[in-house]
Amino acid sequence: MSRNAAAMGAAPPSSPHRVRRLLSHLYVQCLIGVLLGAAVGWLWPASGAGLKPLGDGFIALVKMMIAPIIFCTVVHGIATMGNARAVGRVSVKALIYFEVLTTVALVVGLVVVNVVKPGSGLHVDVATLSTEHLPAAASQTHESFADFLLGIIPATLVSALTGKEILPVLLVSVLFGFGVHASGEAGAGLARGVEKFSGVLFTIIRWVMRLAPVGAFGSMAFTIGNYGLGTLRHLALLVGSFWLTALFFVLVVLGSVMRLNGLRLLPFLRYIKEELLIVLGTSSTEPVLPRMMAKLEHAGAAKPVVGITLPAGYSFNLDGTAIYLTMGGVFLAQALGIQLSFAQQLTMLAVMLLTSKGAAGVTGSGFIALAATLSAIPHVPVAALALIFGIDRFMSEARALTSLVGNGVATLAVARWDRQLDVARAQAVLRGDLPFVPAPTAVAAPKATPEPIAEPVPAGR
C-alpha cells in the first residue's frame, strides 16, 4: 500500500488476514482458552467446576501417546548411534546435572522462605488440624528409596508401555535399543520401522494438540470455579513469594545455565511459548512432552540425548517441585510456631533430595511429594498440610512451568556438555530463522534432526 493511500485513511487490506493468521497460532488459542476458562470459573463457579472433564480428557489423550513416543525416540536413537558407551555417558552427565540443579532449587526456596517468613504470625494450633479432608495419598505410608528403584522395573516388557510411569518406559526403551543395536542387519531393519512408526505417532499428536485450547479452558474453569479466587486472600504472601521465587530461579539460575552454553533464555521461552501456555492451563507438564522432544531435536540437540534426558528429567529434575518443597515445609513450621534449627532444615533438605525424585509432572504431585517429606521427618505433622491444601492448585502452575523450562534447559545443557548440540543451529532456531513446523516430516526428515550420537565432537561456535 502506498503512502498516499495510507494518508487518505485507507484500511490495510490485510488486517482480517493478519487476525486470522494470529488466531491460527496454538499459543493464541490456548491463551484465549485460559482467559475464558478463568472468566467462566469466576462468574459461574458451579458450571466452571463441572468443566473438569474437558481438561482431564485432553491430558488423557496426550498421556496415552507419551510411552510409545519415548520408546520410539530412545530405541531409534540408541540403535543408530555409533558407540554404545555414549548412552551411559549421557545418562551419567544428565543425573549429575539434575542433582546439582535440584539442590540449587531447594536451597533457593529455603533461603527465600527464611527471609520472607510467610507463615510467621499465624499461630495455628496443631490440635485443630486433621488429615480427614486431604487426598488419600497424602496420609498413606510412602515407599522407601529402595522401593522407588525397584518400582522402575516393570512386571513385563509390554506392561511398561501400558503403565502410568515414565521411568519404566525409559528402562525398557534403553534395553530394547541396545538389543536392536546389537542385532546387526535384523536390528537395522527394525530401527527403520521404529522411525517410520514414530512419524505416525507425531501425526496423531499433531491432531490431538488441536484440542489444547479446549483442555486449557476446562482445566482453568475448574480451578477457579472449584477453589475460587477468595482462597488466596489469607495465604497470598506464600503464593506470591513462591511465584516470584520460581520466576527468579528461571530468569537468574536457568538464564545463567543458558548463557554458559552460548544461548539465551528469553528467545528459548518464546520458542516454547505454546507449551508454556498449555502447561499454564492444565497445570501439568506431561501434555507437552512429545512436542518438547520434537522442538529440542529441531533446535539441534542429538536425538538420543533428547530421548534420554527430557523424559528422565520429568522424574529427576523437577525444579519447581523442589522450590515448593522447601518453601511449603518451612512455611508450615512457621505457621505452627515450630522453630526449625539450621541442622533440622538441612535434614529436611536432604530428605527432599529424595522425595523430589519420581514425582511425575502431573497436577498435585508436588503436594504428595511434600506429604512424603513430612511423613519421613518428625519436625512437622502431616496434618499441617490442611493449611495449604486449598491454595495448592494456585501454586501447581508455577511448579509445572518452572519444571518444564528447567527440563528444556537441562536437555540443551547436557547435549552441549556432551558436544552433541549444534550450537549454531540452536542459535538460528531461537532467533526464528528456522521455525519449528509441527509436522511428521519435520521430525523424521534427516536434516531436521542432528546426526546419531557418537564420540564427542567439537561443538559449533
Side-chain angles (χ1 to χ4, degrees), residues 20 123 161 253 278 441:
R20 286 195 298 269
H123 306 298
L161 302 179
V253 178
I278 293 171
T441 53

Side-chain angles (χ1 to χ4, degrees), residues 157-191:
L157 192 70
V158 178
S159 65
L161 302 179
T162 59
K164 298 180 180 180
E165 302 295 331
I166 290 179
L167 290 181
V169 179
L170 199 56
L171 174 64
V172 168
S173 303
V174 170
L175 293 176
F176 197 85
F178 276 120
V180 172
H181 183 270
S183 298
E185 184 58 33
L190 188 56

